[in-house]
Amino acid sequence: MSSTERVADKLEKPALDDRSYRVIRLPNRLEALLVHDPDTDKASASVNVNVGSFSDADDMPGMAHAVEHLLFMGTEKYPVENDYNQYLSSHSGYSNAYTSSTETNYYFEIAASSSQDADASTNGSIDSPLHGALDRFAQFFIAPLFLSSTLDRELKAVDSENKKNLQSDIWRLNQLKKTLSSPKHPYHHFSTGNLQTLRDEPTKRGVNIRDEFIKFHHQNYSANRMKLVVLGREKLDELEAWVGSLFAGVVNKDLPRNRWDDVEPFSDKELLTQVFAKPVMDSRLLDIYFPYQDEEDMYETQPSRYLSHLIGHEGPGSILAHIKAKGWANGLSAGVAPVCPGSAFFTVSIKLTEDGLKHYQEIVEIVFQYISLIKQHKPQQWIVDEMKGMTEVDFKFRQKSPATSFTSKLSSIMQQPLPRDWLLSGTSVIRKFDSQGITKALSYLRADKYRLTLVSQKFPGDWDQKEKWYGTEYRVEAIPSDFQAAVRKAANSTATDLISELHLPHKNEFIPTKLTVDKKDVAEPIKNPILIRNDEAVRTWWKKDDRFWVPKANAYITLRNPLAKATPETAVKSNLYCELVKDALEEYSYDAEIAGLEYQLSSYSMGIDIDIGGYSDKLAVLLEKVLMSMRDLEVKPDRFNIIKERVLRGLRNWDFQQPYRQVGDFTRWLGSEKGWINEQYLAEVEPLKAEDISAFYPQLLRQMHIECLAHGNILKEDALRITDLVESTLRPRTLPRSQWQIRRNLLLPPGSDFTYRHTLGDKANVNHCIEYYLYVGSLADHILRAKLLLLGQLTEEIGFDQLRTKEQLGYIVFTGAKFAATIMGYRIIIQSEKPTSYLEERVNAFLALFASRLDSMTQEAFEGHKKSLINKRLEKVKNLDQESERFWTQISGEHFSFVQNEIDVANVKPVTKQDMIDFFNHYIHPTSPARAKLSVHMIAQSTPKPAAGDEKKPSPAKQKEQLVAMLSEYLTSLSISTDQDQLTKRFEPVDLASRDIIPTIITAISTYMKEDAKVPDEQSAAILQQGQQVMGAVLPELGIEILVDEEDLPPAPKVKETVFIEDVFAHKAGLGMSKGPVPVRALSEFEDKDVVVVDGNGRPESKL
């Protein structure tokens, strides 16, 4: 037997990367990237299989996606269906997977060590959590069971996932593009699948669907199509031994790599057409699609990036700058979207204004003029050199990402034909200037080979077709000949014909040049920022990076002013002001953005936030420009009207989000004294005029308190200069501490039970949603917080397994802790087609079930959950941004608990099982007289279509007649002689409303085969076994409900009657208030010994 081949072990990697790498190929041709990270606290693995929805059978779309779901449901070695997820959950882990067009990606994350010590080594022990997870994971690809008992449930999960997306414009418009592509290319497929495609229709045809899934796995899953990435603390030799042993059983079928070279997604029939599509949300988009070359072998030059850089540029002379000046557009992006090995699209996507919609043809002509401009200039090496330099800098200083992000992404990249030494840098780095390659790339942007899609709720208004899978209204037509002629003319523009405002970009002054980092050896990184200025006007926090050593920094600045969200009106004005500043800065800031330096400007309850992050070299330059633009903003009526209309659309579109994304806003609103919701903002926008913002924003900037965090590659004096810059530019009056807004929450009284109902604004959405919230206590109570976190850990896997997997309530199920400004609680969110009253009942049943599970839990299992939670809380930050966010969360929340994770661990360790039982029975159990509960019910206006697709449900007699006819046809297909009249007689005792419907049907068929058709017992037994599966699919197709015996579900306890909230104002008025945030330590304890104190005139007064 051949041995494992070592393919590469000297991978090109970032300068500060302390990991070691090895690429191996097993004897079965499975290729693996092994990663030894001595400091990681999370291990991970991912398998990417070169098969996806493009390999679905034409008559069974969604098969690859369904197989992805089914692999989680037990294997020969580990037959318990949730063993894998239970194991991961007990070791601080989780798993997920996705199916795309040409690949299926499975991944998991788990604690790197079984010890509670985050720095403990596993020393290669097979007791390592990673080894156990890899063993279970490998069996997905060796011997999955495809359990019949889980088949229908997982297909319903796929169906629920699909229904979740039915009102999502991203999914709808993407499927429309696919549906209107060439039927000869698999791009045309419906990739998600649903019950109709995966169960009902195949069953009608007599297909044994379980056999089809097994066949798909057998025919498409092969070791030579798999790429594995394993990240752990173990040495490379140990990881190699594990992988070689555990994955040796994956069968190699020597399957070729999937490619589609002989057919294009858009044939000539689909080109030179324009598609008009009506979206769910109020949006306006113009997309131009060009068939493009497959660039996967061009990883050194990547010519499409030259095209996307120029066409997608937002600076002076760009397409966007020109059409934005005309008031026609708000945004533009351009780039290549690979379809599969063999083809791709180059897409130009433009966000239109109302006026731009009317001028879409002129916009298309401008795009082609700019393409002509690019072609008239030979490829510019300086542009490529600038891009190449930034890609090299970005890769050199790339920081670590979360473990699953790394392994999942790398296993996908391994499917590309890259040199194995370049797997990490891959297509991230441009290596060469290729003038001929760029010229060839430009040749694909042709005036005779493109397609347009125009998305609008109003234009043209005469959509005459509906897309099959999502129901999107659309119209498709040939591009009019005069429009085609105008585009050809634009594409052939000479230098004298070009619009004078269009030109290539200038050199980027924001490219960082100072990339040095003063790296010093530190025994242990400092755990909190230092307060280096603290006076009435300013608090400045600073930490020089001592962990990641990259030439980057983050500056978070809050301009504290309660006016920002004092009322819905001032909140809307503050938001419009921020949007207008960003709009005015767009051309200037784009150069900074592509040079790795970005900013955000936003309003929130405490004031205005400015966040700037990236390469530290030019950070102060960008900040100064942002501050000057804020101070000197000229509110131009034309831009105001465009921004106002965009904000209005955003608020109106809020109602069309997924219900589970809306429900939290209502929970927060009901728990806040001065919180506002979408409809209150919406009412304030329409009357506003440009002069209202001109008059308002000076008030916002006139008085404030400034709080800043400067973190990263930044010196103390530079951090102080940041707040000096804010003060000197804006010159505000000081906002006294007595006028600061105090963060508070409303308190639910003990024994209360409230329910708030809201009807969804999207009339077509069939999904209800519930957030079931239980108040626990103050965030300052660290013991209660520890128990709440532990409850989240204890219920995580069982909640998912019971509510989603077993009861099939819906695809979206969340359980766990919920934290507000000053209080905390436990919440469950479910999005489902089932009524919210039923969901409420099932949550009560689940909580009662968990109470018994907790009571019977072994001490070993309980301690395992504690260990798992402790590992999660001690997880290290992976990069500078994560640490900055952690610091700023504590500063902006005014708790200043920079080591909250350590406090949590210290309080989790002594918690006993009896402590948790007492905690649960008091705060959580449905029958507790002390618990305080709030449920928010999001109620759908629409109902799902019947499974059979009939508008009217047939009578029971008709249903039985259809069932007998279908079974007769099915038996005939198995070469069994069928007397339909006799079969009908055998079905007379069958009651379609019975809970025992399937057993009684099987009995009727058994009697018919034995006594009437004289089928041999062995053959009859095989048919009846298959019939069990067939019935689960056929009955819903006929509109016959398979009733779940209530005895099979955990019983719901009797609970006290809820109080429905009809008057929100009166409800809030009747509640008490929490205390404000309680700092864990006095601020003086964070002060630097050289902290600067200034007097009322801003002059240094003394040093402490």
Side-chain angles (χ1 to χ4, degrees):
M1 182 177 178
S2 58
S3 60
T4 297
E5 174 189 359
R6 292 186 177 176
V7 178
D9 58 6
K10 296 189 183 300
L11 275 64
E12 183 179 49
K13 62 182 186 178
L16 298 171
D17 190 342
D18 58 356
R19 292 167 170 168
S20 51
Y21 301 88
R22 179 182 298 165
V23 181
I24 62 172
R25 189 176 294 114
L26 303 187
N28 60 5
R29 311 306 291 167
L30 184 149
E31 189 178 42
L33 169 63
L34 311 176
V35 186
H36 165 57
D37 184 340
D39 297 321
T40 189
D41 48 16
K42 290 291 186 180
S44 178
S46 173
V47 166
N48 188 284
V49 189
N50 175 221
V51 62
S53 62
F54 279 13
S55 299
D56 289 346
D58 290 339
D59 60 356
M60 208 166 168
M63 185 178 285
H65 183 211
V67 168
E68 171 223 305
H69 274 249
L70 290 164
L71 289 198
F72 286 82
M73 294 293 109
T75 61
E76 288 183 11
K77 186 173 182 180
Y78 298 100
V80 177
E81 65 180 67
N82 63 337
D83 176 89
Y84 173 65
N85 284 325
Q86 273 188 336
Y87 180 85
L88 294 177
S89 179
S90 67
H91 292 90
S92 314
Y94 71 94
S95 69
N96 212 334
Y98 68 81
T99 302
S100 68
S101 55
T102 62
E103 61 185 47
T104 306
N105 193 294
Y106 304 84
Y107 55 90
F108 71 80
E109 181 175 290
I110 197 164
S113 167
S114 57
S115 168
Q116 292 180 9
D117 179 359
D119 294 316
S121 172
T122 64
N123 294 318
S125 167
I126 61 170
D127 292 330
S128 158
L130 176 59
H131 184 275
L134 282 174
D135 188 14
R136 288 160 174 80
F137 190 46
Q139 294 302 310
F140 283 25
F141 315 103
I142 298 172
L145 289 176
F146 293 94
L147 293 167
S148 298
S149 59
T150 67
L151 189 63
D152 202 56
R153 277 196 273 116
E154 283 309 303
L155 294 184
K156 286 178 180 176
V158 170
D159 189 66
S160 180
E161 183 177 352
N162 178 61
K163 285 176 177 170
K164 171 181 71 73
N165 299 324
L166 288 179
Q167 291 299 103
S168 166
D169 280 327
I170 293 175
W171 287 86
R172 291 165 69 90
L173 295 173
N174 184 54
Q175 185 58 52
L176 178 62
K177 183 172 66 167
K178 294 165 67 175
T179 297
L180 296 178
S181 65
S182 170
K184 295 180 180 179
H185 196 285
Y187 185 70
H188 186 75
H189 285 174
F190 166 50
S191 58
T192 307
N194 57 28
L195 280 178
Q196 178 188 353
T197 67
L198 294 169
R199 187 191 69 181
D200 301 343
E201 292 296 335
T203 302
K204 275 185 184 178
R205 301 192 300 268
V207 173
N208 183 315
I209 55 177
R210 177 173 179 268
D211 287 351
E212 290 301 307
F213 295 131
I214 293 171
K215 186 191 302 181
F216 183 92
H217 186 274
H218 178 74
Q219 291 179 345
N220 292 284
Y221 278 57
S222 173
N224 72 307
R225 278 187 174 176
M226 296 180 188
K227 308 298 179 183
L228 167 66
V229 179
V230 181
L231 164 69
R233 284 189 188 172
E234 291 75 13
K235 301 289 187 183
L236 292 177
D237 288 348
E238 192 71 26
L239 292 176
E240 181 176 323
W242 287 359
V243 168
S245 169
L246 298 174
F247 287 84
V250 182
V251 177
N252 176 27
K253 298 154 191 170
D254 282 323
L255 300 179
R257 183 171 183 243
N258 277 317
R259 291 192 63 87
W260 291 266
D261 293 306
D262 55 346
V263 60
E264 289 292 330
F266 288 168
S267 66
D268 290 343
K269 179 183 176 182
E270 287 79 40
L271 295 171
L272 293 180
T273 58
Q274 53 186 12
V275 178
F276 300 96
K278 183 180 180 181
V280 171
M281 290 190 175
D282 188 3
S283 59
R284 294 180 295 267
L285 296 170
L286 170 64
D287 291 329
I288 309 172
Y289 300 105
F290 298 94
Y292 190 74
Q293 64 186 343
D294 174 10
E295 281 191 350
E296 71 171 9
D297 290 322
M298 305 176 193
Y299 44 81
E300 292 189 85
T301 57
Q302 303 172 63
S304 64
R305 291 177 69 169
Y306 182 88
L307 276 59
S308 58
H309 175 73
L310 296 179
I311 296 172
H313 210 280
E314 298 177 11
S318 65
I319 297 171
L320 179 61
H322 180 62
I323 58 179
K324 184 180 170 185
K326 288 180 171 290
W328 293 350
N330 285 317
L332 182 150
S333 61
V336 163
V339 173
C340 60
S343 58
F345 295 125
F346 189 93
T347 305
V348 182
S349 186
I350 302 166
K351 295 179 179 178
L352 300 175
T353 64
E354 286 187 294
D355 203 30
L357 197 62
K358 303 170 188 173
H359 295 275
Y360 84 92
Q361 294 188 351
E362 293 167 70
I363 293 172
V364 174
E365 292 169 32
I366 291 168
V367 171
F368 275 94
Q369 274 219 29
Y370 197 86
I371 292 170
S372 176
L373 167 69
I374 299 172
K375 290 179 177 178
Q376 288 172 30
H377 292 79
K378 69 177 184 178
Q380 304 290 297
Q381 183 161 354
W382 74 266
I383 293 177
V384 174
D385 286 345
E386 194 174 82
M387 295 167 60
K388 176 175 175 288
M390 275 310 305
T391 65
E392 291 168 348
V393 168
D394 286 341
F395 178 68
K396 180 179 180 180
F397 296 108
R398 180 189 291 173
Q399 299 169 78
K400 290 179 181 178
S401 57
T404 49
S405 300
F406 174 84
T407 57
S408 177
K409 181 179 179 181
L410 260 293
S411 66
S412 176
I413 287 173
M414 288 178 72
Q415 296 288 1
Q416 300 176 26
L418 288 163
R420 303 292 94 170
D421 289 342
W422 288 357
L423 283 177
L424 301 177
S425 51
T427 56
S428 301
V429 177
I430 299 173
R431 301 172 190 277
K432 293 180 181 178
F433 168 66
D434 181 4
S435 179
Q436 290 183 340
I438 292 171
T439 301
K440 181 183 177 183
L442 278 165
S443 71
Y444 285 90
L445 309 189
R446 295 168 48 174
D448 61 345
K449 293 196 77 172
Y450 66 96
R451 183 167 90 176
L452 303 179
T453 297
L454 198 67
V455 177
S456 167
Q457 282 193 335
K458 300 175 182 177
F459 182 82
D462 56 347
W463 309 278
D464 56 2
Q465 297 185 69
K466 277 194 174 184
E467 194 275 324
K468 177 179 180 180
W469 302 109
Y470 289 82
T472 304
E473 294 182 70
Y474 72 95
R475 193 181 89 204
V476 59
E477 63 186 26
I479 295 175
S481 57
D482 57 338
F483 183 19
Q484 287 192 45
V487 169
R488 286 195 298 272
K489 180 181 178 182
N492 294 314
S493 298
T494 63
T496 55
D497 298 329
L498 290 172
I499 298 168
S500 60
E501 289 85 357
L502 297 179
H503 58 79
L504 297 182
H506 52 69
K507 291 192 176 182
N508 190 344
E509 299 301 322
F510 273 99
I511 298 292
T513 53
K514 296 178 182 177
L515 296 169
T516 56
V517 177
D518 182 21
K519 184 176 181 180
K520 297 177 180 178
D521 291 331
V522 292
E524 185 179 353
I526 298 172
K527 296 178 180 180
N528 58 267
I530 300 167
L531 188 54
I532 57 174
R533 179 177 170 186
N534 184 17
D535 53 63
E536 289 186 354
V538 174
R539 280 202 304 234
T540 304
W541 299 83
W542 164 74
K543 183 190 171 189
K544 174 75 170 66
D545 175 38
D546 57 0
R547 189 187 296 266
F548 303 105
W549 309 111
V550 290
K552 295 184 175 184
N554 292 307
Y556 295 86
I557 304 165
T558 283
L559 311 180
R560 186 177 278 109
N561 186 330
L563 180 62
K565 280 202 172 180
T567 66
E569 180 189 12
T570 62
V572 166
K573 287 179 178 177
S574 299
N575 183 35
L576 280 167
Y577 165 64
C578 292
E579 292 301 313
L580 286 161
V581 172
K582 289 188 285 187
D583 183 68
L585 276 169
E586 194 163 38
E587 287 186 33
Y588 177 86
S589 64
Y590 184 72
D591 274 353
E593 182 182 332
I594 59 179
L597 183 61
E598 299 185 57
Y599 83 100
Q600 291 292 329
L601 181 67
S602 59
S603 62
Y604 80 122
S605 60
M606 295 292 123
I608 301 294
D609 264 4
I610 308 168
D611 302 340
I612 298 186
Y615 292 104
S616 53
D617 183 18
K618 307 282 190 350
L619 186 148
V621 176
L622 179 59
L623 174 60
E624 183 175 23
K625 184 68 175 181
V626 171
L627 292 168
M628 290 172 64
S629 297
M630 292 174 67
R631 182 193 66 192
D632 302 331
L633 177 68
E634 179 187 354
V635 184
K636 298 175 181 178
D638 58 338
R639 292 310 300 170
F640 170 80
N641 290 332
I642 288 170
I643 298 301
K644 173 184 168 181
E645 190 274 338
R646 189 172 76 194
V647 169
L648 262 174
R649 277 191 295 124
L651 291 170
R652 289 171 181 151
N653 287 338
W654 186 91
D655 278 333
F656 294 89
Q657 296 180 98
Q658 299 255 12
Y660 79 94
R661 295 188 182 279
Q662 300 181 39
V663 70
D665 280 16
F666 287 97
T667 312
R668 282 187 289 274
W669 172 55
L670 292 166
S672 304
E673 184 185 24
K674 289 188 176 180
W676 320 115
I677 54 172
N678 191 70
E679 62 190 54
Q680 294 169 315
Y681 297 137
L682 194 54
E684 301 296 337
V685 180
E686 193 63 57
L688 292 177
K689 297 180 174 57
E691 50 266 33
D692 295 323
I693 307 304
S694 296
F696 172 75
Y697 85 79
Q699 300 174 46
L700 198 59
L701 302 182
R702 185 174 296 140
Q703 189 175 25
M704 65 181 70
H705 176 268
I706 301 163
E707 184 137 39
C708 172
L709 166 67
H711 175 222
N713 186 42
I714 189 167
L715 298 174
K716 177 180 173 181
E717 52 266 34
D718 293 323
L720 289 167
R721 287 191 192 103
I722 287 176
T723 39
D724 289 345
L725 184 61
V726 177
E727 284 187 291
S728 61
T729 305
L730 300 181
R731 303 188 68 80
R733 289 173 52 222
T734 296
L735 181 74
R737 185 176 174 81
S738 61
Q739 296 180 31
W740 292 14
Q741 184 171 332
I742 300 174
R743 297 169 181 270
R744 295 181 186 271
N745 290 105
L746 297 171
L747 299 176
L748 298 175
S752 61
D753 191 312
F754 297 107
T755 298
Y756 179 79
R757 294 173 295 191
H758 174 78
T759 301
L760 292 172
D762 182 0
K763 294 180 180 179
N765 201 315
V766 301
N767 291 300
H768 307 278
C769 184
I770 181 175
E771 179 165 9
Y772 183 112
Y773 172 76
L774 299 164
Y775 166 70
V776 167
S778 167
L779 276 179
D781 189 329
H782 297 302
I783 295 174
L784 269 184
R785 176 186 165 99
K787 293 175 183 176
L788 176 61
L789 290 169
L790 185 52
L791 176 64
Q793 165 66 32
L794 289 163
T795 59
E796 181 180 33
E797 196 281 328
I798 183 179
F800 187 88
D801 183 58
Q802 183 63 38
L803 298 172
R804 179 181 149 173
T805 305
K806 287 188 169 69
E807 296 194 28
Q808 290 288 301
L809 294 181
Y811 185 74
I812 300 296
V813 173
F814 296 138
T815 63
K818 182 183 179 78
F819 299 102
T822 59
I823 63 172
M824 58 190 173
Y826 179 80
R827 62 92 180 266
I828 294 177
I829 292 179
I830 304 173
Q831 180 172 296
S832 173
E833 295 172 40
K834 295 179 171 60
T836 53
S837 57
Y838 180 75
L839 299 179
E840 179 104 11
E841 177 187 304
R842 297 317 307 151
V843 172
N844 286 332
F846 163 68
L847 293 175
L849 170 69
F850 175 75
S852 64
R853 295 280 183 90
L854 178 60
D855 190 57
S856 62
M857 186 177 291
T858 66
Q859 190 62 34
E860 181 183 8
F862 180 77
E863 292 299 327
H865 280 292
K866 283 175 60 179
K867 181 175 68 177
S868 183
L869 174 60
I870 288 169
N871 284 333
K872 287 178 182 176
R873 298 306 297 153
L874 292 179
E875 183 175 350
K876 299 175 183 176
V877 288
K878 301 296 188 292
N879 50 56
L880 184 75
D881 289 347
Q882 283 189 359
E883 187 171 50
S884 296
E885 284 288 341
R886 179 178 287 187
F887 290 157
W888 188 241
T889 297
Q890 292 298 329
I891 293 169
S892 60
E894 300 179 81
H895 295 283
F896 310 106
S897 186
F898 299 110
V899 290
Q900 183 63 55
N901 58 333
E902 296 179 14
I903 296 172
D904 290 339
V905 168
N907 285 281
V908 166
K909 285 182 177 180
V911 175
T912 66
K913 179 181 159 184
Q914 188 59 50
D915 290 336
M916 286 306 298
I917 291 173
D918 294 343
F919 169 83
F920 185 86
N921 288 339
H922 181 82
Y923 292 100
I924 309 298
H925 199 289
T927 62
S928 167
R931 76 170 191 161
K933 171 179 159 288
L934 168 68
S935 274
V936 177
H937 292 195
M938 310 292 285
I939 300 170
Q941 299 188 53
S942 187
T943 55
K945 293 180 181 179
D950 298 328
E951 292 299 324
K952 290 184 66 178
K953 187 175 178 179
S955 67
K958 184 64 176 176
Q959 287 176 327
K960 188 180 289 190
E961 180 184 328
Q962 292 173 338
L963 175 60
V964 170
M966 187 177 288
L967 288 171
S968 177
E969 183 180 337
Y970 177 66
L971 292 172
T972 302
S973 72
L974 297 175
S975 302
I976 294 173
S977 120
T978 310
D979 181 336
Q980 192 161 327
D981 290 339
Q982 192 62 29
L983 186 58
T984 301
K985 185 178 291 187
R986 295 296 181 189
F987 266 74
E988 286 177 359
V990 174
D991 178 5
L992 297 185
S994 167
R995 294 189 180 277
D996 297 324
I997 182 172
I998 292 181
T1000 55
I1001 289 174
I1002 295 299
T1003 299
I1005 298 172
S1006 175
T1007 303
Y1008 172 80
M1009 287 195 295
K1010 183 175 182 178
E1011 298 184 10
D1012 301 322
K1014 309 300 182 185
V1015 178
D1017 289 347
E1018 187 176 340
Q1019 183 184 2
S1020 176
I1023 293 171
L1024 290 173
Q1025 184 178 6
Q1026 184 176 336
Q1028 292 274 1
Q1029 176 188 322
V1030 170
M1031 285 302 100
V1034 168
L1035 297 180
E1037 176 67 14
L1038 296 175
I1040 302 169
E1041 185 178 3
I1042 304 175
L1043 299 174
V1044 178
D1045 195 327
E1046 293 297 330
E1047 294 180 2
D1048 294 337
L1049 293 177
K1054 186 176 181 180
V1055 296
K1056 68 181 296 182
E1057 189 171 344
T1058 191
V1059 175
F1060 290 99
I1061 301 171
E1062 306 294 346
D1063 183 337
V1064 173
F1065 181 84
H1067 168 72
K1068 289 187 176 186
L1071 300 180
M1073 295 287 293
S1074 72
K1075 293 180 180 179
V1078 180
V1080 294
R1081 290 161 57 188
L1083 290 185
S1084 59
E1085 295 184 38
F1086 296 109
E1087 289 182 349
D1088 184 25
K1089 60 183 178 181
D1090 294 327
V1091 65
V1092 178
V1093 178
V1094 299
D1095 62 20
N1097 297 315
R1099 292 188 295 268
E1101 193 174 74
S1102 65
K1103 285 188 177 182
L1104 298 182

